[in-house]
Amino acid sequence: MLQTQDLSKSYNGHEALKGLNLQVAPGEIYCLLGANGAGKTTTINLFLSFIEPSAGCALVDGIDVMTDPVAARHRLAYIPEQVMLYRQLSGLENLVYFNRLSGRDMAPEGYREVLRDCGLQADAVDRKLGTYSKGMRQKVGVAIAVAKQARALLLDEPTSGLDPKASNEFSQLLVRLREQGAAILMATHDLFHARQTATRIGIMCEGVLRRELVAHEVSHADLERIYLEHMN
């Protein structure tokens, strides 16, 4: 569902991403680990066609994102560190607005059901988003992706700033989406969250994918050791 082929990006002679090759299949959560400047966000921005590659290509369901960005984005949903929604609208109103903007609609109760399935408390559905915690806003962001029927999700540090309970709830939500067949690519600094949630883990350093791991084959301690080895 998500694939890069020798994907590279340079800025003024600096190689932010160097010949990246990765694949994320339906029903898989792939976590990209790395420090700031490792190339994680650059990878996501290339999938979104926010920036142009210097070489190689990014594919969504076989579609080159630069050749046909509209078709590629139709299959994607993007959840950044700070979900940008309308604070003066309720969670329900935000969901309805963004779903209709994508060309879809459903019965009113269907929208409420999606929000409930994504873990938003019933008493928050009709409250203004300005009263929400970050974790609640992230749930609305996921609900927008679910309502859109996005087949692939791109997440950039989605658990940054969340308390442990909210982070765990978000992890459980991602696992449910994976079980429903979504392909999920997540950039994160959080080793514990990556090990808890991912099916596969990639370690990036200075624009290079240094190592790939199957999540259930490594312990938290082993993952931390391997990560630090590559960072050093």
Side-chain angles (χ1 to χ4, degrees):
M1 181 55 64
L2 296 170
Q3 183 179 10
T4 65
Q5 297 176 346
D6 297 322
L7 188 64
S8 299
K9 178 62 181 178
S10 296
Y11 298 97
N12 300 319
H14 170 69
E15 288 187 288
L17 195 66
K18 306 172 185 177
L20 177 65
N21 290 285
L22 66 77
Q23 295 185 7
V24 186
E28 184 172 30
I29 299 174
Y30 191 111
C31 281
L32 277 178
L33 290 174
N36 290 334
K40 307 185 305 297
T41 297
T42 297
T43 300
I44 288 177
N45 286 339
L46 286 162
F47 268 117
L48 292 165
S49 64
F50 288 170
I51 55 178
E52 294 186 16
S54 302
C57 62
L59 307 173
V60 178
D61 198 17
I63 300 167
D64 188 319
V65 301
M66 297 308 301
T67 302
D68 194 348
V70 174
R73 289 176 185 171
H74 188 72
R75 292 158 170 78
L76 286 174
Y78 171 48
I79 302 176
E81 181 177 351
Q82 297 291 339
V83 176
M84 302 304 291
L85 301 172
Y86 291 100
R87 296 174 60 86
Q88 70 273 28
L89 300 180
S90 69
L92 177 62
E93 289 167 336
N94 270 281
L95 176 57
V96 172
Y97 173 74
F98 282 104
N99 198 50
R100 289 177 177 171
L101 198 64
S102 72
R104 294 178 171 83
D105 202 1
M106 63 177 70
E109 184 53 37
Y111 285 111
R112 293 181 180 274
E113 183 178 350
V114 170
L115 288 168
R116 285 197 301 269
D117 288 346
C118 289
L120 189 67
Q121 303 92 313
D123 63 355
V125 170
D126 294 299
R127 284 193 352 237
K128 288 187 177 181
L129 204 86
T131 69
Y132 283 20
S133 67
K134 178 177 178 178
M136 294 163 70
R137 293 195 302 272
Q138 297 290 56
K139 290 175 182 177
V140 176
V142 174
I144 292 170
V146 171
K148 183 184 178 182
Q149 298 178 349
R151 299 171 63 187
L153 276 73
L154 302 172
L155 300 95
D156 196 356
E157 301 289 353
T159 60
S160 175
L162 296 184
D163 63 49
K165 180 176 182 295
S167 181
N168 183 62
E169 289 174 349
F170 191 78
S171 295
Q172 292 175 353
L173 180 54
L174 293 184
V175 169
R176 290 207 303 273
L177 294 176
R178 174 185 64 77
E179 291 171 346
Q180 294 167 14
I184 301 172
L185 176 63
M186 177 167 60
T188 182
H189 290 95
D190 189 341
L191 273 67
F192 180 84
H193 183 248
R195 171 60 183 77
Q196 180 185 38
T197 309
T199 52
R200 284 193 298 138
I201 296 169
I203 297 175
M204 295 192 75
C205 183
E206 298 179 340
V208 177
L209 183 62
R210 304 284 186 181
R211 182 86 178 263
E212 285 188 308
L213 304 162
V214 177
H216 74 263
E217 293 180 353
V218 292
S219 66
H220 290 291
D222 286 340
L223 177 58
E224 182 177 22
R225 175 183 54 78
I226 294 167
Y227 176 81
L228 291 175
E229 285 175 357
H230 286 284
M231 294 305 103
N232 292 329

